Amino acid sequence: KMIKNMPVDKNKIDKSFLIAKYSDEEQKRKGIGVLKAIVMLSKELLIPSVAEGVENIEQYDFINSLGCESIQGFFFSKPLPKNEFIKLLEN
């Protein structure tokens, strides 16, 4: 089945793409290239992307600079029960 025909409504980007440890600069460059390609492919297919596991400002700035539509992770908040989430939004 071709990717363009798959019934996908959202592309979730695993945190392992953001926290990968690279042994050298070439591997780091390739890893970043893969992440950029994932976000770009999602955009071209009109599938929103969600980056999971964002834990710090550097990760946030990077994934945001790629145009990722949604970003989640401990950088914003730990997982919360519904009532605590509502309180957070109200404040």
Side-chain angles (χ1 to χ4, degrees), residues 26-42:
E26 181 180 354
Q27 288 299 313
K28 181 178 181 179
R29 183 183 55 78
K30 288 179 181 179
I32 290 170
V34 169
L35 186 54
K36 287 179 178 179
I38 290 169
V39 173
M40 186 180 356
L41 179 61
S42 292

Side-chain angles (χ1 to χ4, degrees), residues 43-72:
K43 286 186 166 306
E44 290 296 320
L45 296 175
L46 304 176
I47 300 169
S49 54
V50 179
E52 297 181 316
V54 175
E55 297 177 356
N56 58 53
I57 189 70
E58 292 82 15
Q59 292 171 339
Y60 170 80
D61 286 343
F62 175 67
I63 198 71
N64 188 51
S65 74
L66 298 180
C68 188
E69 286 86 353
S70 299
I71 303 170
Q72 65 186 50

